[in-house]
Amino acid sequence: MTFYFTGIRSFPKLWKSNSYLGLSSSNFYLSLFLKDCYGIRNQEKWFSVKTMSAQNTKAMNLLIAKARCFRKLDEGSNKQVSADSSHMFAAGAAKKRSQVNSSSKAPVLPPVKNIIQLPTKPLNSEEWDKLKEEFKEKANFENWIILQMVKSHSSLDVAKSVLAWVATKNNGIVGYDLLVKYLYLCVFHKQTSEIIDVYEIMKARYKRLESGAYTLLMRGLMYTDRWREALLLLEDLKKVMIPSKKNYDDCIQGALFHQDVNVAWNLYQELLSHDIVPMLETLKAFFDFGKDMKDDQYSNKLHNILLYLRNNQLYPGESFAHSIKTWFESIPGEQWKGQFITIQQSGQCLGCGKTVESIHLSSQEYEFLKEKIMRDVIDGGDQYKKTTPQELKRFQNFVKYRPPFDVVVDGLNVAKMFPKARESQVLLNVVSHLAKQNLQVLVLGRKHMLTQNSRWRRVEMEKMQKQASFFFADNISEDDPFLLYATLHSGNHCKFITKDLMRDHKACLPDAKTQRLFFKWQQGHQLAIVSKHPGAKITFQRILSYDTVVQTTGDSWHIPYDDDLVERYSYEVPTKWLCLHRKT
Ligand SMILES: [Zn+2]
């Protein structure tokens, strides 16, 4: 079957609705499994076009916002870009650390421009022929030019003139590659009638499409009168693969747009059943939809979404937090009041005066976590690659016959804190500081520390050994499993000192609950030294007294959320909160 170009209506029409919720220029990944449909060889190839991702947009918004902030700073204000970032896990703290380290790097140069300038208005066949002549890899020209158009979001009429030119040369046939890329532009520019036309052509011509085309068609059709056909496409896609969270997002948002709330919830349940973490936009859409609604069942489902955030340690962004607030305040007859606040060091909410959940683990949580770490990280983990069972046994015996420790120190990590200072001297300062407070200290070291040299002085090592217990592991051993073992074995009061963030170990843990507990435990037990130079008084970064997680008491909710202006690393926690409480 052939594709006649005249089949596509010549001029794009505007979308029927202005309140289109879906595709934005920013969050689109087009990852296409394209077939060569020119007929000679039916070769398949993977190929991916990546336009600006959500992350990148966020980064871009951040840049713009930061530029504004820095301008303000220049104007004499002393305000900081991020809120409180005085503890190690505060959102933005890592970014700040990296900025300090990278300030001397050379500026990034803008990318080199393409040799051929993309046309800004439609060309006729002769003009396209001429442009192709100027292009080196002539065989690839059509694909190359349409790809550039996708990347720069060219207007539809220009893209269409490429298709018209190709069609004239090929008896009216336009190949799959070009068609899908044209479809991308139609969806990007939200041109309903064009999308439907391409959809009709593809439906007639191909029995099955690849996931990239399904994704585009679903997204494009969802906001038309033929949106239920998008759901049929989802069914088709499910026959070959599990749809992506973006596919579900498109369909759920489309169903809500067309007021079919049952379809939306069913798709949401289906998504969760595949263990897919939904997009925050999907969750936000349910809150937006529920505004002003008095429906207990619907409310319960939204509460479950909030608990899902809690259990998976997810944080809404600023606009999602606003949607949550708006929804609560809109529930008829319930009198909720929301405020955006920060939490005091003591854990007290400045909005309602309640104290948020403590960072300290209950004894039940502690025993649960201890058992998991002992089993999955220490006994069953991959630590044997870095140490031997004999060495681990030796260490376990060592710990067994000593009183519980108050602090466990990663000796090598601490000693290397100041690259220019003598390692044994740095470590001695820290150990003496702790010993003066009558703390039972364990220092984990390596055997090489006992060999006198310019970095490790015997006299300093001897002084330390009088003030603390030492365990010297083989030089090849990794310290983390020993550190975790000794700290957990000593009990819930015991802290540990290292700059290591233990992300590898968190990854070894089997499920979201254990990972969450581990992170909670880590935040409450890890001490980091913030002293600026070797001789300075030893000071530690503040440990948060409260847990940064979505929580409720029934008549209140506290929801940490991500500030749009702060770039948070995955192991950091937000510093901004939404406090919701009900007047009773
Ligand atoms: Zn509060």
Side-chain angles (χ1 to χ4, degrees):
M1 198 176 288
T2 54
F3 157 55
Y4 294 98
F5 186 69
T6 45
I8 289 191
R9 282 166 231 171
S10 8
F11 283 103
K13 288 175 191 162
L14 286 173
W15 278 54
K16 283 171 192 159
S17 166
N18 291 329
S19 53
Y20 179 86
L21 304 161
L23 185 85
S24 70
S25 62
S26 50
N27 55 7
F28 198 80
Y29 276 85
L30 179 58
S31 184
L32 301 173
F33 182 49
L34 291 177
K35 278 189 175 172
D36 183 350
C37 292
Y38 289 97
I40 306 168
R41 281 169 303 152
N42 209 18
Q43 259 186 344
E44 292 179 341
K45 56 189 182 223
W46 276 102
F47 140 81
S48 120
V49 186
K50 187 178 163 193
T51 64
M52 198 186 259
S53 69
Q55 204 61 36
N56 287 342
T57 326
K58 192 169 179 195
M60 186 59 77
N61 290 340
L62 261 170
L63 279 178
I64 297 165
K66 275 181 184 159
R68 282 193 213 117
C69 282
F70 284 129
R71 217 173 301 141
K72 275 190 194 157
L73 281 177
D74 285 345
E75 285 158 8
S77 154
N78 285 323
K79 272 185 201 161
Q80 289 202 329
V81 177
S82 68
D84 171 24
S85 57
S86 57
H87 62 91
M88 181 159 64
F89 298 99
K95 183 73 186 170
K96 274 191 176 173
R97 290 195 292 268
S98 74
Q99 277 165 345
V100 170
N101 294 334
S102 65
S103 54
S104 60
K105 275 183 194 161
V108 180
L109 292 172
V112 183
K113 289 220 169 109
N114 291 318
I115 314 149
I116 290 185
Q117 201 75 41
L118 278 182
T120 50
K121 50 181 203 288
L123 302 186
N124 61 33
S125 290
E126 291 74 45
E127 288 167 325
W128 279 121
D129 283 336
K130 201 168 155 246
L131 207 58
K132 186 175 177 176
E133 277 306 303
E134 292 168 21
F135 191 69
K136 276 183 197 153
E137 288 176 76
K138 292 187 178 47
N140 250 332
F141 178 74
E142 290 79 3
N143 271 322
W144 181 84
I145 195 87
I146 198 102
L147 182 57
Q148 303 313 309
M149 290 181 171
V150 162
K151 284 179 179 168
S152 58
H153 302 140
S154 289
S155 75
L156 275 193
D157 50 351
V158 181
K160 203 185 254 184
S161 80
V162 178
L163 266 61
W165 169 59
V166 171
T168 2
K169 288 191 304 179
N170 295 293
N171 299 323
I173 300 171
V174 170
Y176 187 87
D177 280 27
L178 293 188
L179 212 48
V180 172
K181 291 193 189 95
Y182 179 70
L183 176 63
Y184 168 80
L185 284 172
C186 297
V187 174
F188 177 81
H189 292 295
K190 302 170 189 173
Q191 300 299 319
T192 317
S193 55
E194 291 294 306
I195 293 165
I196 289 179
D197 285 344
V198 179
Y199 169 54
E200 291 294 356
I201 291 159
M202 291 187 132
K203 205 163 66 163
R205 202 165 148 192
Y206 306 104
K207 209 173 164 198
R208 187 154 286 170
L209 309 169
E210 40 65 51
S211 65
Y214 276 123
T215 296
L216 286 170
L217 286 173
M218 279 188 265
R219 187 165 310 161
L221 290 174
M222 235 25 238
Y223 296 92
T224 72
D225 296 340
R226 294 173 67 175
W227 68 279
R228 288 193 189 273
E229 288 176 62
L231 299 177
L232 297 178
L233 293 176
L234 184 72
E235 290 305 312
D236 273 354
L237 185 61
K238 278 195 272 184
K239 287 175 194 157
V240 287
M241 60 187 278
I242 296 173
S244 70
K245 60 182 174 182
K246 186 66 191 139
N247 293 142
Y248 278 110
D249 180 63
D250 285 331
C251 293
I252 290 171
Q253 297 230 29
L256 290 174
F257 178 79
H258 295 285
Q259 308 285 318
D260 197 331
V261 70
N262 289 333
V263 166
W265 282 122
N266 288 343
L267 288 170
Y268 177 64
Q269 280 310 323
E270 188 180 302
L271 170 157
L272 292 184
S273 72
H274 288 305
D275 272 334
I276 302 172
V277 176
M279 296 176 70
L280 292 174
E281 286 81 353
T282 314
L283 305 179
K284 177 182 183 295
F286 281 114
F287 279 86
D288 290 336
F289 187 85
K291 194 170 167 261
D292 298 321
M293 203 191 275
K294 180 73 188 158
D295 178 340
D296 289 347
Q297 252 187 329
Y298 196 94
S299 292
N300 281 340
K301 285 176 178 166
L302 294 187
H303 290 159
N304 284 338
I305 288 183
L306 294 176
L307 295 176
Y308 178 85
L309 296 178
R310 172 189 172 88
N311 295 333
N312 292 277
Q313 215 178 320
L314 294 169
Y315 305 108
E318 217 169 306
S319 75
F320 185 6
H322 276 277
S323 293
I324 296 171
K325 178 177 180 286
T326 307
W327 175 71
F328 269 101
E329 289 175 338
S330 81
I331 308 171
E334 289 206 0
Q335 291 198 307
W336 283 91
K337 188 177 174 326
Q339 284 165 283
F340 295 105
I341 46 99
T342 49
I343 300 284
Q344 283 187 310
Q345 282 196 22
S346 61
Q348 198 185 33
C349 169
L350 288 172
C352 65
K354 281 198 164 75
T355 302
V356 295
E357 285 175 33
S358 162
I359 193 70
H360 298 294
L361 276 68
S362 67
S363 54
Q364 226 176 354
E365 286 176 325
Y366 181 78
E367 287 307 319
F368 175 85
L369 179 71
K370 183 178 162 183
E371 192 196 312
K372 289 273 185 184
I373 291 186
M374 294 294 193
R375 206 181 57 199
D376 295 325
V377 179
I378 305 194
D379 288 341
D382 62 353
Q383 83 287 351
Y384 291 138
K385 287 174 197 159
K386 294 281 173 67
T387 187
T388 58
Q390 293 79 10
E391 171 118 296
L392 198 65
K393 195 82 216 150
R394 182 168 75 88
F395 180 65
Q396 284 169 329
N397 278 330
F398 169 88
V399 170
K400 200 169 157 186
Y401 297 110
R402 280 181 175 65
F405 299 105
D406 299 314
V407 186
V408 183
V409 182
D410 182 341
L412 214 52
N413 187 289
V414 166
K416 288 180 184 299
M417 193 165 47
F418 304 110
K420 283 178 185 161
R422 188 171 59 252
E423 288 165 353
S424 55
Q425 190 182 28
V426 174
L427 189 57
L428 174 61
N429 280 347
V430 174
V431 170
S432 305
H433 175 81
L434 296 168
K436 271 183 206 146
Q437 300 170 54
N438 286 325
L439 296 169
Q440 288 285 340
V441 182
L442 167 65
V443 181
L444 298 171
R446 303 278 175 82
K447 285 179 179 161
H448 73 78
M449 292 176 173
L450 294 169
T451 316
Q452 160 84 12
N453 61 38
S454 62
R455 307 200 63 80
W456 295 100
R457 283 208 184 147
R458 184 159 297 144
V459 56
E460 285 168 340
M461 288 307 292
E462 281 167 2
K463 264 192 199 166
M464 276 184 256
Q465 283 172 275
K466 285 182 188 138
Q467 302 178 62
S469 302
F470 272 74
F471 180 83
F472 295 99
D474 284 338
N475 291 335
I476 49 132
S477 289
E478 197 195 330
D479 305 303
D480 299 350
F482 294 101
L483 191 72
L484 291 175
Y485 184 90
T487 311
L488 286 164
H489 191 270
S490 293
N492 208 347
H493 74 287
C494 181
K495 306 263 194 298
F496 64 97
I497 304 179
T498 179
K499 270 189 174 173
D500 193 298
L501 287 159
M502 313 252 163
R503 273 172 286 182
D504 294 352
H505 304 303
K506 190 180 162 194
C508 284
L509 296 168
D511 52 76
K513 184 191 169 191
T514 316
Q515 291 191 4
R516 203 192 90 62
L517 278 181
F518 180 70
F519 187 54
K520 182 177 171 177
W521 175 76
Q522 187 187 3
Q523 285 181 80
H525 289 80
Q526 182 165 6
L527 291 167
I529 299 168
V530 287
S531 308
K532 292 276 184 293
H533 52 89
K537 185 175 174 290
I538 307 286
T539 45
F540 296 99
Q541 220 152 28
R542 183 164 63 82
I543 285 188
L544 278 182
S545 63
Y546 55 87
D547 192 9
T548 308
V549 70
V550 175
Q551 45 197 278
T552 182
T553 57
D555 60 354
S556 78
W557 280 90
H558 287 91
I559 300 163
Y561 69 92
D562 275 323
D563 188 328
D564 283 350
L565 293 183
V566 180
E567 193 173 350
R568 182 174 59 79
Y569 286 31
S570 60
Y571 55 85
E572 294 177 336
V573 291
T575 55
K576 297 279 182 68
W577 292 70
L578 167 61
C579 155
L580 292 150
H581 60 277
R582 194 154 44 163
K583 291 174 207 150
T584 42

